Amino acid sequence: MKKLLLILLFILASVLVYGQSPCKGSGICVVQYNAEFNAANKVSWVGKLKECDTKFIDIQKDTKAAGKYKIVVVPTIVIYNDGEEVKRFQANIMMTMEATQKEVQEAITEIIMEGM
């Protein structure tokens, strides 16, 4: 019985941790994941996005972030809405972001319109 309870607690904890976003609070939050070794390809316009909060996570410094948020290439831009991932933009094989500020802003606007 104790083993079953421990297994259930482990599963519940795993689901809760996986479902979390790195953003605090509710609303739309855009997170750019990158690494110090790829600083030349940092997406400078993320902080200029409107109607959202923004955050930057360096996966080289926060070594658990890559696994926790399933980051396989940098830079990666993820849009969260109320803590849930709703859209992801990943870099190409040259580790540069092909998505534009306009594309990401349009995705944010679409999320807002769907919530109305």
Side-chain angles (χ1 to χ4, degrees):
M1 185 66 170
K2 286 183 181 181
K3 286 183 180 181
L4 179 60
L5 184 58
L6 286 173
I7 291 170
L8 288 174
L9 286 173
F10 178 75
I11 291 171
L12 179 61
S14 297
V15 168
L16 290 174
V17 169
Y18 175 72
Q20 292 176 344
S21 85
C23 302
K24 304 292 182 209
S26 60
I28 299 173
C29 179
V30 178
V31 180
Q32 177 184 176
Y33 298 90
N34 206 344
E36 190 175 317
F37 65 81
N38 193 40
N41 293 318
K42 182 177 180 181
V43 184
S44 60
W45 48 257
V46 170
K48 297 176 186 175
L49 295 168
K50 295 177 171 70
E51 301 181 275
C52 65
D53 292 327
T54 60
K55 186 172 183 176
F56 178 83
I57 295 179
D58 184 328
I59 64 166
Q60 196 170 350
K61 292 178 182 172
D62 183 353
T63 56
K64 293 182 181 180
K68 186 174 181 180
Y69 303 113
K70 299 188 177 194
I71 306 303
V72 296
V73 64
V74 290
T76 294
I77 297 172
V78 180
I79 303 174
Y80 296 92
N81 188 19
D82 294 332
E84 289 187 44
E85 180 178 331
V86 291
K87 186 78 175 174
R88 181 178 288 237
F89 300 89
Q90 295 180 314
N92 60 25
I93 195 166
M94 300 300 294
M95 296 195 313
T96 60
M97 180 59 61
E98 290 184 346
T100 65
Q101 180 178 353
K102 182 179 178 184
E103 290 172 320
V104 176
Q105 189 65 61
E106 286 174 352
I108 292 166
T109 302
E110 185 177 311
I111 294 164
I112 292 169
M113 298 303 288
E114 288 175 357
M116 295 182 131

